[in-house]
Amino acid sequence: MIKAFVFDMDGILLDTESICWGTWIATGKELGLDPVKMEEANFRCMGTNKADSVRILKEIFGPDFDGEGALAKSSELFHIIEERDGIPLMKGVIECLEYLKSKNYRICLASSTREVTVRRQLERAGIIDYFETITTGDMVTHSKPDPEIYQIAVKSLGLSPNECICVEDSYNGIRSGKSAGLTTVMVPDRVQPDSEILKQVDFLFDSLIGIKEHF
């Protein structure tokens, strides 16, 4: 019996992925990086924490590449946009969270983003109070696709994995949730699922409204 929903944040609750993609492209241009490789880096880093993102960047651009510096540049650009324009909610967020709350499902978060950023962005979006627990990328050794972040999130609720559903938009997120033993819901944002990742997806929806209609 499903008792809880564990949400990713970026690209599921907040429309951060499109902003992030733009900042990565701008950073790549500033550093003179191959745009094709930068696109690969952005895709592979979706859903990962800082440490794993730096590792991936070094794999793509070489061991001497300043991955931390590149992430810092992108982050600086992101903060400028966030402060100037804010971050929009994804379609159906409030309707979905209100529905789950009305049905007495427990709701928590598992985001690879740092805790200080997660809490700031959720508070500004006005949705932080929906979440019973918040697990973030700086609380784990390896973030998605490693199952650790979902294992911790489930443990924070005192539940077993088969009582929880993870809600994700990225390949790394789906792999993480499935590896941790959760039922998986995918709501694609920038990247559509391929045949391989679909094998790990239990439910596929166009928006979070699908959750309201199916559970």
Side-chain angles (χ1 to χ4, degrees):
M1 179 179 177
I2 298 299
K3 297 180 179 179
F5 282 75
V6 188
F7 286 84
D8 177 39
M9 184 181 77
D10 297 301
I12 282 291
L13 301 172
L14 304 181
D15 188 12
T16 53
E17 298 290 6
S18 56
I19 300 173
C20 183
W21 171 236
T23 63
W24 276 57
I25 291 296
T27 298
K29 287 181 179 179
E30 184 176 337
L31 297 177
L33 301 174
D34 182 337
V36 175
K37 288 186 177 181
M38 200 60 177
E39 183 172 5
E40 176 192 353
N42 180 255
F43 173 74
R44 288 181 57 189
C45 288
M46 280 183 186
T48 65
N49 62 8
K50 180 179 178 181
D52 286 335
S53 291
V54 169
R55 175 183 56 78
I56 291 168
L57 286 168
K58 287 182 178 292
E59 287 178 5
I60 294 173
F61 295 108
D64 296 327
F65 181 73
D66 183 9
E68 290 195 5
L71 291 178
K73 287 180 183 294
S74 177
S75 180
E76 181 181 355
L77 291 172
F78 188 99
H79 284 305
I80 291 172
I81 296 171
E82 180 183 350
E83 290 297 324
R84 184 188 67 205
D85 304 328
I87 302 174
L89 290 172
M90 298 295 289
K91 179 182 177 181
V93 170
I94 300 299
E95 295 94 323
C96 177
L97 294 176
E98 279 293 323
Y99 170 78
L100 294 177
K101 183 179 177 181
S102 73
K103 294 295 184 179
N104 296 315
Y105 285 109
R106 299 172 73 183
I107 306 171
C108 74
L109 192 90
S111 170
S112 297
T113 303
R114 293 184 307 144
E115 182 179 13
V116 63
T117 301
V118 167
R119 290 189 177 275
R120 182 187 73 243
Q121 292 179 349
L122 291 179
E123 285 176 359
R124 288 181 176 178
I127 59 174
I128 193 168
D129 291 339
Y130 285 102
F131 300 96
E132 183 176 339
T133 67
I134 292 175
T135 307
T136 58
D138 44 2
M139 298 178 182
V140 299
T141 302
H142 293 293
S143 195
K144 308 165 187 178
D146 191 279
E148 183 183 6
I149 195 166
Y150 277 108
Q151 292 168 341
I152 293 174
V154 168
K155 187 176 180 180
S156 75
L157 295 174
L159 298 176
S160 61
N162 62 7
E163 295 176 303
C164 301
I165 288 179
C166 79
V167 186
E168 284 280 356
D169 69 304
S170 72
Y171 286 29
N172 284 333
I174 290 294
R175 289 172 179 137
S176 175
K178 181 58 72 173
S179 295
L182 283 73
T183 298
T184 57
V185 166
M186 187 175 193
V187 184
D189 182 19
R190 287 190 56 247
V191 180
Q192 294 298 312
D194 61 16
S195 58
E196 191 61 36
I197 204 68
L198 281 174
K199 295 175 183 177
Q200 301 185 57
V201 174
D202 296 304
F203 297 93
L204 179 67
F205 301 132
D206 293 333
S207 76
L208 292 178
I209 299 298
I211 291 176
K212 181 179 177 181
E213 295 173 344
H214 284 79
F215 295 98

